[in-house]
């Protein structure tokens, strides 16, 4: 394990890590102590006080988990910048969140996604979606997130997996338990600024070491700079990303409690929309911050045994003493950001959609906050056990596992939310069928694909992104047919279009600017 960072640390590094922990706990404590009496609104939605910068940084912090740092560097090392598609193509779906979904969520005055669907279709739908959301947060966010963090801490410190995951979970759980969304948002702004600073430093040192940008441009195969790969490309053919990515992206950016919660905590719609626009700009940074690290590593260290080591190799080889401590800090930061946001989403959905609605409808606000906090503790314990279980299943590329799991969880959610927003004729029966039977079908296919008949041995499978798209298409069609055949069609409460607040000119201008920049970037990175 030549990349174990511990061997490379100086007293300065330890001092930096210690200082960081103290600052972080201080920020979290101040954010949570400002109101002694926690209410539902302050615990789960930051008392609807978040401005655009907090929302953007917080969503980005939730999105940038450690798997991304490692995985993007790894993909950059082995295939070039193609993975930037997963970041830049996202702006289309962020625009959808800002202009279509967010106005409806805020007009409906809901705290959770199941609550929003419950308003449309009634209690049965809200219950199904609440359990679906809980399982999704536990598996795709907490367990996989914690596992990848554990792998990271193990790589850095060389301590066993169970120790690293317990330390991480206690740290992340502390903010969620003590301060709720407001503490998490404040902490995330600080952490993301730190992440940008440290990652950019690493990239700049790397570029100087290679001999400048033009030298870097010519030192790698030409196709490394192409965002769009030919249909014959085995890993990321263009049609797979074009068709399959939107299914995951709609579910992830527009319907996922952990992602949308920051927008629900916005001061007003305009701040929410500006915050979502801001994360679109932040995502442009993924190229210089995360992916370029891998491409630089390919030029500087062309004979790595394992591309997954690209990020750590760059850090241990290029950073001087004192800065390595900062890297540990940043890695812990991205982890705490993701895990604390998902713990907060978990506790919000359980406390409001399950406990306050079904278990104890008479519950006082104090009870609900208490249950929310208990949920955080249970979620921590569950995530630790799951992370250790995942660790027992060896030999999976982290990023692809994340994308694949999302690819099978996403189709029913994307289908149901898109129909709800765009097609008033959708019925409760269709929605409940898609969420229950459709989810079982989609996840069943996922289990077969990942474990029973893995594509490495059985070559009849399409690309996992194409598979995700096909599942989505089948479920969408099924929901439309069921809605049309549903004789008991109770018209649901339609959206009052006049009640939806208008999008301000400032918001429209910023989205137009982002769209122009994105199109320009795609043109620049395809001319080879």
């Amino acid at each position: 394990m030549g990349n174990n960072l511990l061997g490379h640390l100086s007293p300065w590094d330890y001092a930096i890590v210690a200082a960081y922990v103290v600052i972080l706990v201080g920020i979290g404590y101040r954010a949570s102590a400002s109101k002694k009496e926690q209410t539902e609104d302050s615990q789960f939605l930051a008392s609807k006080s978040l401005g655009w910068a907090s929302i953007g940084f917080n969503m980005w912090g939730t999105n940038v988990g450690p798997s991304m740092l490692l995985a993007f560097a790894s993909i950059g090392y082995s295939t070039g910048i193609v993975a930037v598609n997963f970041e830049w193509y996202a702006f289309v779906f962020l625009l959808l969140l800002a202009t279509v979904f967010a106005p409806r969520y805020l007009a409906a005055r809901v705290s959770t996604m199941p609550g929003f669907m419950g308003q449309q279709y009634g209690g049965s739908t809200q219950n199904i979606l609440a359990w679906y959301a809980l399982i999704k947060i536990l598996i795709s966010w907490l367990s996989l997130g914690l596992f990848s963090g554990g792998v990271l801490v193990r790589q850095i410190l060389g301590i066993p997996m169970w120790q690293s995951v317990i330390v991480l979970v206690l740290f992340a759980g502390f903010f969620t338990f003590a301060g709720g969304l407001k503490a998490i948002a404040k902490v995330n702004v600080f952490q993301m600024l730190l992440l940008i600073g440290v990652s950019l430093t690493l990239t700049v040192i790397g570029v100087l070491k290679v001999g400048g940008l033009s030298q870097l441009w010519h030192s790698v195969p030409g196709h490394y700079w192409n965002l769009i790969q030919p249909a014959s490309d085995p890993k990321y053919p263009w049609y797979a990303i074009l068709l399959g990515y939107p299914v995951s992206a709609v579910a992830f950016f527009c319907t996922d409690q952990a992602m949308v919660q920051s927008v629900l905590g916005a001061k007003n719609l305009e701040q929410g929309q500006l915050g979502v626009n801001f994360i679109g700009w932040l995502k442009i940074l993924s190229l210089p911050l995360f992916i370029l690290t891998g491409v630089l590593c390919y030029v500087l260290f062309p004979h790595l045994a394992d591309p997954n080591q690209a990020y750590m190799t760059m850090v241990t080889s290029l950073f001087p003493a004192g800065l390595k401590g900062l890297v540990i800090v940043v890695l812990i930061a991205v982890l705490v950001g993701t895990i604390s946001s998902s713990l907060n989403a978990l506790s919000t959905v359980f406390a409001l959609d399950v406990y306050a609605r079904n278990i104890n409808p008479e519950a006082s606000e104090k009870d609900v906050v208490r249950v929310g906090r208990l949920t955080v503790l249970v979620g921590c314990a569950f995530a630790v056990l799951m992370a250790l279980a995942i660790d027992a299943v060896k030999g999976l590329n982290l990023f692809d596992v994340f994308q694949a799991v999302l690819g099978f969880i996403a189709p029913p959610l994307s289908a149901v939310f898109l129909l709800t927003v765009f097609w008033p004729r959708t019925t409760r029966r269709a929605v409940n069928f898609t969420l229950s039977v459709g989810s079982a079908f989609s996840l069943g296919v996922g289990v077969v694909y990942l474990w029973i008949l893995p594509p490495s041995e059985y070559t009849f499978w399409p690309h996992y992104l194409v598979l995700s798209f096909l599942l989505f298409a089948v479920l969408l069609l099924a929901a439309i047919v069921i809605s049309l055949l549903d004789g008991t069609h109770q018209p649901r409460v339609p959206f009052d279009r006049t009640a939806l607040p208008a999008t301000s000119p400032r918001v429209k201008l910023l989205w137009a600017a982002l769209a122009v920049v994105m199109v320009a970037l795609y043109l620049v990175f395809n001319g080879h």
Side-chain angles (χ1 to χ4, degrees), residues 88-377:
W88 291 359
Y89 188 8
F91 96 92
V92 178
F93 308 99
L94 289 166
L95 177 62
L96 194 66
L97 168 62
T99 54
V100 177
F101 285 96
R104 289 168 173 75
Y105 292 157
L106 291 171
R109 300 187 181 285
V110 289
S111 307
T112 65
M113 298 293 97
F116 172 74
M117 294 302 260
Q119 275 192 12
Q120 299 296 311
Y121 301 107
S124 57
T125 307
Q126 185 165 351
N127 290 339
I128 297 173
L129 198 59
W131 286 106
Y132 194 79
L134 291 173
I135 292 166
K136 179 174 172 221
I137 295 167
L138 279 172
I139 294 173
S140 72
W141 280 105
L142 279 174
S143 309
L144 278 170
L146 191 62
F147 165 68
S148 56
V151 169
L152 237 172
V153 173
R154 184 168 62 188
Q155 266 188 29
I156 302 172
L157 305 179
I159 59 176
M161 185 73 170
W162 64 272
Q163 291 175 3
S164 53
V165 287
I166 288 174
V167 171
L168 286 169
V169 117
L170 289 175
F171 203 53
F174 163 76
F175 296 109
T176 324
F177 187 85
L181 185 63
K182 193 166 193 171
I184 295 167
K186 285 221 162 93
V187 164
N188 265 346
V189 173
F190 166 67
Q191 313 215 82
M192 290 302 107
L193 290 170
L194 201 65
L195 170 73
I196 293 172
V198 174
S199 297
L200 216 48
T201 310
L202 184 61
T203 304
V204 171
I205 296 175
V207 169
L208 294 173
K209 188 114 177 163
V210 170
L213 284 173
S214 131
Q215 182 62 39
L216 172 66
W217 187 264
H218 297 296
S219 302
V220 296
H223 71 86
Y224 264 48
W225 300 112
N226 275 358
L227 277 171
I228 297 174
Q229 297 295 346
S232 57
D233 182 77
K235 288 210 68 170
Y236 299 105
W238 66 268
Y239 63 88
I241 291 178
L242 183 72
L243 294 174
Y245 177 73
V247 179
S248 297
V250 168
F252 186 75
F253 293 113
C254 305
T255 77
D256 189 289
Q257 183 73 26
M259 285 303 285
V260 176
Q261 195 145 346
S262 317
V263 181
L264 299 180
K267 283 180 188 152
N268 52 40
L269 177 67
E270 188 186 47
Q271 290 298 312
Q273 291 176 320
L274 290 172
V276 178
N277 177 264
F278 183 44
I279 184 184
W281 292 101
L282 286 171
K283 277 183 166 299
I284 296 177
L285 295 175
S286 295
L287 179 61
L289 293 183
F290 311 135
I291 300 203
L292 221 51
T293 318
V295 181
L296 285 162
C297 188
Y298 173 81
V299 179
L300 295 171
F301 308 97
H303 303 297
L304 280 192
D306 175 9
N308 283 326
Q309 297 284 352
Y311 189 81
M312 280 301 170
T313 306
M314 291 289 281
V315 168
T316 46
S317 317
L318 301 185
F319 264 0
L323 280 182
K324 294 195 181 89
L326 274 178
V327 175
I328 294 184
V329 163
V330 162
L331 293 175
I332 297 173
V334 286
L335 207 98
V336 171
T338 304
I339 294 179
S340 50
S341 297
S342 28
L343 281 171
N344 192 47
L346 183 79
S347 74
T348 308
V349 171
F350 185 80
L352 299 178
D353 290 320
V354 178
Y355 175 74
R357 275 193 67 247
N358 299 328
I359 299 173
N360 182 4
E362 308 295 301
S364 67
E365 198 157 24
K366 252 190 180 141
D367 291 334
V368 176
V369 172
R370 197 186 71 243
V371 168
R373 288 178 161 178
L374 282 174
T375 311
V376 171
L377 299 179

Side-chain angles (χ1 to χ4, degrees), residues 333-501:
V334 286
L335 207 98
V336 171
T338 304
I339 294 179
S340 50
S341 297
S342 28
L343 281 171
N344 192 47
L346 183 79
S347 74
T348 308
V349 171
F350 185 80
L352 299 178
D353 290 320
V354 178
Y355 175 74
R357 275 193 67 247
N358 299 328
I359 299 173
N360 182 4
E362 308 295 301
S364 67
E365 198 157 24
K366 252 190 180 141
D367 291 334
V368 176
V369 172
R370 197 186 71 243
V371 168
R373 288 178 161 178
L374 282 174
T375 311
V376 171
L377 299 179
V378 176
C380 286
F382 179 84
V384 167
L385 295 174
M386 279 294 287
L388 294 173
I390 298 170
D391 187 40
V393 185
K394 291 285 189 291
L396 296 169
N397 173 349
L398 273 182
F399 184 72
D400 288 339
V401 171
F402 265 97
Q403 291 299 332
V405 168
L406 241 181
F408 297 113
I409 288 180
L413 282 173
S414 295
V416 162
F417 273 85
L418 287 170
L419 284 172
T420 298
V421 170
F422 289 111
W423 195 46
R425 182 80 179 66
T426 315
T427 66
R428 175 194 308 175
R429 189 171 287 174
V431 168
N432 289 0
F433 173 85
T434 311
L435 287 174
S436 49
V437 181
S439 301
F441 169 64
S442 187
L443 292 171
V445 172
V447 169
V448 174
Y449 173 87
L450 287 169
W451 285 289
I452 302 173
L453 306 173
S456 53
E457 296 165 38
Y458 297 85
T459 50
F460 61 83
W461 289 105
H463 190 283
Y464 70 84
L465 287 168
V466 175
L467 188 57
S468 178
F469 174 75
L470 294 172
L471 288 167
F472 166 76
V474 167
L475 294 178
L476 191 69
L477 202 63
I480 291 172
V481 170
I482 293 170
S483 291
L484 292 174
L485 296 176
D486 192 350
T488 63
H489 172 55
Q490 301 106 348
R492 63 194 170 97
V493 189
F495 293 109
D496 179 5
R497 302 264 166 200
T498 52
L500 290 184

